Each structure stands twice: as C-alpha cells, then as structure tokens.
Amino acid sequence: MSARPAKLPPFDPADPLGIDDLLDPEDLAIRDTVRGWAADRVLPHIADWYERGELPGIRELARELGSIGALGMSLTGYGCAGATAVQYGLACLELEAADSGIRSLVSVQGSLAMYAVRKFGSEEQKQRWLPPMASGETIGCFGLTEPDHGSDPAGMRTYAKKDGSDWVLTGRKMWITNGSVAGVAVVWAQTDEGIRGFVVPTDAPGFSAPEIHHKWSLRASVTSELVMDEVRLPADAVLPEVTGLKGPLSCLSHARYGIVWGSMGAARASFEAALDYAKSREQFGKPIGGFQLTQAKLADMAVELHKGVLLAHHLGLRMDAGKLRPEQVSFGKLNNVREAIEICRTSRTILGANGISLEYPVMRHATNLESVLTYEGTVEMHQLVLGKALTGLDAFR
Ligand SMILES: Cc1cc2nc3c(=O)[nH]c(=O)nc-3n(C[C@H](O)[C@H](O)[C@H](O)COP(=O)(O)OP(=O)(O)OC[C@H]3O[C@@H](n4cnc5c(N)ncnc54)[C@H](O)[C@@H]3O)c2cc1C
C-alpha cells in the first residue's frame, strides 16, 4: 500500500479539487508572475478602459508582457520563452481573469501571428519578426475573417496575384484583433496555388487598418478592419512552408487551446466576486450565501469551474506530449467557454442589481465572453467538428 499523509489536507475553497498539486514549482512561479502583473497593471484600470472602450497604453502593455515572457510564450528560440503548454495555459487563465481583451492581445500575438511565422516562415522571416514580437516592440495581427466569410474562410476573396517576382495583395479582412496597432499583419489570401499566408508590414503602401467602434464586448481590445488595396509585396513575403487552409487552421488550434484555459480565468473572477458577495450581502436577516438556493448556484459553479480547469490541464499535458488533436481542442473550447459564460450569468444573479455595475467584474466578463464564444470557431463549428469526429459524417454543408 502507498504511504498516505497522516492527515487530510484542508479544503481550499479556491482550489477544491487540489489541482495545484498537479503543478510544479516553475508552473506556480509563472502563474504568480502573470497574476501579479495583471493585478498591478490591469485590474486597477480595467473598468475605466472598458467603459471608455479603449486599451490606452497598449504598446507599453505589450512591452511589459514581452518582458515577463508572455508573448509567444510556448514557442522556442528567437527570443521566445519556450514555456510548456501548461505554463502558457496558466498565463492565459491569469490574463483573462483580468480581462478577455488582454488575453486576446497575447493570444493573437503569440498563438496566431508569431505561431504562423514560427511554424511556416522562412529563416529570414523568423529572424526579422519574432524577436521584436517576443519583446512586444512589434505588435502582430492575424487576418483570416472577411466581411462575407467567417466560419467558412475557404471562400475568402482576398487575393494575392503574382506580378513578376512580387505579389500584389487586394481585399478586406474584418474583426481583426490588434489590427490598428500592429506593425505586422499575417494575412491569408487566395492565390493561383491555393490559400497562402503573407507577412505584411503595416506601413506598406495600400494597407490600412481602421478601428471598429461601437462594440459591446471586448471593449478593452483593439478590433479593426484590414483594407488592402493593391499592396505590393516582395516574393519573400509569402510564408513558404504551407499552402491551403491547414495553415490558418493549425494556428487557430493553438490559439483555441489558450482560450480553453483563458475562459476559466473569466469564470474564476466572476465566481470569486459572487462568492465574496454572497458571504457579505444580507437579506431576510442573514447573508444570502446562507440560503440553499444561493449555495446550489455556488456549488454548481464551483463544479463547472474546476472541472474546466482540470480539462484544460489535461489538454495541456497532451499538447506537451505532442498528442493533442484538434477535435480535443474543440472539445475544450466548446465546453469551457460555454460553461464560463453560464458561470458569469449565474454570478450576475447573485450580485443582484450590483451585478450589472462595472464596479464588479461580472458583467464585463460576461459580455467579453460573447466574443470569445464566437471567435476562434463558434459553438456550432466546434459541435460540428465533434459531430463529424463522432459519427464520421460531415455536416458542415
Ligand atoms: C472581438 C472579435 C475579435 C476577433 N478577432 C479576429 C482576429 O483577430 N482574426 C480573425 O481572422 N478573425 C477575428 N474575429 C472573427 C471571428 O473569428 C468570426 O467572427 C467567427 O469566425 C465567426 O464568423 P462570423 O462572425 O462571420 O459569423 P458567421 O460565420 O456568419 O456565423 C453566424 C452564425 O451562423 C452559424 N453557422 C455558420 N455556419 C453554420 C453551419 N454550417 N451550421 C450551423 N451553424 C452555422 C455560426 O455558428 C454563427 O452562430 C474576431 C471576432 C470578434 C467578435
């Protein structure tokens, strides 16, 4: 029989399943660093940024995120931190516990733009772009979605045609995170050879990135259109190592993995606000947390929250072992974002009227998660991915 501790460890409301025992000291140190950075640099300001619909100081924030190793965190070489998938996931969770907009900045930079260059770029492209992106000096964006092509990007109209050895890129991309502040855009376009990726310096003549306003979700995040009007690019602007939709889809799989963790950060922050409130708010002569109906909500939320973190950790171990399939990422994104949004909504009910106030983080997280539910594959897309994997029948068309 294996040795058992003489006494059971105490129940920890912040970690009821003892998930921290699965993490090693380096994981915990990285988590603490990111949590500390977010507490210092984001939490004191986020309600104000959100209300104003801005992310002021985004360039400074990006450099700070670079200095703590959060940009392109799980990539190796070229100034990247070379962290494990679990460590990257823990960072996403802590960033999204502050705000989904901050996690989106990091995801798009590291898992989409940098990942595309690292995986499919030439040696020259890697050396030119990755070190300044890892340090946060250069912000990147990733242009796949178009006004008429979202869930089905195969029909994209953005086109790159050959002109001598140059490429000439024309088209529009929509809903592009970081677009207006990016120094480099990874843009996916049709060519005579199929879909290719292009590394586009945003100061190239003919390129513009007007910001999209009037959003009621991800308000502390820059979202833009990309307009490309005959942007002339040299032959070496194309990502040489991939042709076809599998290029952008493999980047999306990496970013979705971060969302599996990140969404649980938004859920944790909302749950903590609700738990705290339930213990101090009194109605009918006692704390509302003392009523069975409130306790049922808290118990159900804790179960989904920590199940979601366990699932994220499980997928992280599979990614570190090189065994994570895209269908498994769909499983995680589908479950965790859906449950996170439910946790926010239930937390909102516990806070009563205060739940709709920006004084508390709950409604901000709930509205942010509406975007997270849609981007990187909607709920329906992930259901179709899993449906196809389960039945062998393709129901996309
Ligand atoms: C804040 C924000 C930031 C974003 N950042 C980026 C970015 O950085 N880069 C980028 O490229 N994109 C980005 N996106 C775009 C995002 O990826 C798309 O919005 C998403 O892929 C869905 O596309 P769509 O909005 O065109 O919806 P549509 O594809 O038009 O879908 C509308 C609805 O129809 C459903 N639907 C579609 N097809 C089917 C089907 N076959 N069966 C059943 N239901 C179906 C969808 O699930 C959805 O519910 C961002 C979006 C937001 C909101």
Side-chain angles (χ1 to χ4, degrees):
M1 254 177 40
S2 60
R4 284 200 196 145
K7 212 168 135 222
L8 279 177
F11 182 84
D12 178 0
D15 183 19
L17 292 178
I19 297 174
D20 280 4
D21 291 351
L22 304 174
L23 306 176
D24 65 30
E26 201 183 337
D27 299 340
L28 295 169
I30 288 172
R31 184 178 73 179
D32 289 349
T33 300
V34 179
R35 189 182 290 186
W37 179 84
D40 200 30
R41 290 292 286 120
V42 180
L43 289 179
H45 313 289
I46 188 64
D48 179 47
W49 297 343
Y50 198 87
E51 187 149 36
R52 285 157 51 194
E54 294 173 357
L55 191 47
I58 183 172
R59 293 179 195 286
E60 183 57 29
L61 290 171
R63 280 192 286 271
E64 291 176 23
L65 285 161
S67 74
I68 61 169
L71 303 179
M73 189 170 173
S74 59
L75 306 180
T76 52
Y78 308 95
C80 303
T84 66
V86 168
Q87 290 164 354
Y88 171 54
L90 288 164
C92 288
L93 188 151
E94 294 304 328
L95 293 170
E96 197 147 356
D99 193 79
S100 303
I102 302 294
R103 201 268 309 137
S104 298
L105 163 65
V106 168
S107 288
V108 169
Q109 177 86 351
S111 283
L112 293 179
M114 292 175 73
Y115 183 86
V117 174
R118 181 71 181 85
K119 186 147 190 219
F120 304 121
S122 64
E123 189 52 37
E124 292 71 33
Q125 287 169 336
K126 290 178 206 172
Q127 291 198 11
R128 175 172 176 198
W129 293 111
L130 292 178
M133 292 175 86
S135 70
E137 280 308 312
T138 301
I139 296 177
C141 69
F142 183 91
L144 179 65
T145 304
E146 298 189 352
D148 296 329
H149 298 276
S151 300
D152 182 18
M156 69 174 70
R157 291 215 201 105
T158 298
Y159 201 87
K161 71 171 190 290
K162 269 273 172 86
D163 184 25
S165 65
D166 288 353
W167 293 94
V168 179
L169 183 63
T170 298
R172 272 175 74 204
K173 298 289 176 181
M174 193 68 184
W175 300 111
I176 306 305
T177 303
N178 298 347
S180 313
V181 291
V184 62
V186 171
V187 176
W188 299 92
Q190 302 279 6
T191 72
D192 289 348
E193 308 149 10
I195 291 173
R196 304 293 306 261
F198 293 86
V199 186
V200 184
T202 56
D203 59 2
F207 183 97
S208 59
E211 191 168 347
I212 297 173
H213 295 288
H214 312 299
K215 292 177 299 173
W216 285 113
S217 171
L218 277 194
R219 289 177 57 75
S221 172
V222 173
T223 314
S224 317
E225 243 182 283
L226 305 183
V227 182
M228 290 146 298
D229 183 11
E230 303 207 337
V231 178
R232 183 166 287 275
L233 299 166
D236 63 6
V238 72
L239 292 170
E241 300 299 333
V242 74
T243 300
L245 214 49
K246 64 179 181 290
L249 293 187
S250 75
C251 303
L252 288 172
S253 198
H254 200 259
R256 284 167 187 157
Y257 164 74
I259 293 173
V260 177
W261 284 90
S263 52
M264 288 297 108
R268 185 189 75 194
S270 298
F271 172 75
E272 283 174 356
L275 179 60
D276 205 39
Y277 194 85
K279 289 193 290 189
S280 59
R281 170 76 175 173
E282 292 194 6
Q283 289 294 292
F284 298 96
K286 67 176 187 180
I288 58 170
F291 297 117
Q292 290 182 352
L293 291 175
T294 309
Q295 290 196 0
K297 290 180 187 176
L298 291 168
D300 287 350
M301 287 195 288
V303 165
E304 291 307 331
L305 168 60
H306 298 284
K307 260 161 62 179
V309 177
L310 262 186
L311 170 58
H313 185 264
H314 171 70
L315 297 185
L317 293 181
R318 292 190 72 80
M319 184 176 257
D320 280 327
K323 292 196 295 191
L324 184 62
R325 291 197 53 84
E327 297 87 346
Q328 294 166 337
V329 178
S330 284
F331 188 122
K333 203 228 168 203
L334 175 61
N335 181 75
N336 282 15
V337 183
R338 206 163 52 179
E339 293 305 330
I341 221 165
E342 271 313 305
I343 288 171
C344 291
R345 288 171 180 158
T346 306
S347 297
R348 218 282 310 146
T349 68
I350 290 179
L351 270 77
N354 278 323
I356 72 155
S357 168
L358 261 177
E359 296 291 318
Y360 296 87
V362 174
M363 193 79 170
R364 176 169 54 81
H365 283 303
T367 56
N368 277 338
L369 286 170
E370 294 292 341
S371 288
V372 180
L373 198 69
T374 285
Y375 70 24
E376 313 275 350
T378 62
V379 165
E380 294 76 17
M381 290 306 109
H382 294 299
Q383 287 172 322
L384 290 173
V385 168
L386 283 175
K388 181 178 167 191
L390 292 168
T391 63
L393 302 169
D394 183 341
F396 280 90
R397 304 198 146 69

